[in-house]
Amino acid sequence: LCTRSEVLRDSEKAFQFPPRSVSSLEELQEDIEEYKSCYAVFERFDSKVKVHSGVLWESIDIEQLRVIGEESRRDCKSNIIETPKTSELIISIEKSITLFEETLDLFCTLKSPAMRPRHWEELAR
């Protein structure tokens, strides 16, 4: 976008046209920068979760997963500037983190030593 607006300005100068406003391009560039910060936060969260997706059930470390949730929530608060355009994205990222954290409570229950084969059979039905 920046290159395109520079070419436009150069062409206007060369042909002595009055300069046109490229504020919409500049606004779009600003929006992209805001969205990049949201995407980066979600990418970091998603990559941390994916690292653990291949872990065997018996090896899952619930506390380590809780730390991922807490770190991701802090990352969201400290690295994204809330604007009217990013507020929906922020809400969506926070919902993803909350859902992840709520799932950990279920994992904790299912990983409990009190779970017996009969309980798993009941859940399978």
Side-chain angles (χ1 to χ4, degrees), residues 44-93:
R44 286 190 292 273
F45 167 66
D46 190 51
S47 67
K48 289 176 186 178
V49 171
K50 282 182 180 174
V51 165
H52 294 277
S53 66
V55 175
L56 295 175
W57 181 252
E58 60 194 30
S59 303
I60 292 176
D61 183 350
I62 303 292
E63 290 311 309
Q64 190 176 23
L65 295 175
R66 287 190 199 282
V67 168
I68 289 172
E70 292 167 5
E71 287 175 348
S72 297
R73 197 170 291 286
R74 280 194 302 271
D75 191 16
C76 189
K77 286 185 181 8
S78 63
N79 291 315
I80 300 176
I81 297 170
E82 187 166 356
T83 66
K85 293 178 182 174
T86 61
S87 62
E88 285 185 41
L89 283 172
I90 293 169
I91 290 168
S92 179
I93 293 168

Side-chain angles (χ1 to χ4, degrees), residues 115 117-125:
M115 287 292 287
R118 62 181 154 75
H119 297 125
W120 286 106
E121 290 167 8
E122 185 69 28
L123 284 172
R125 290 188 203 156

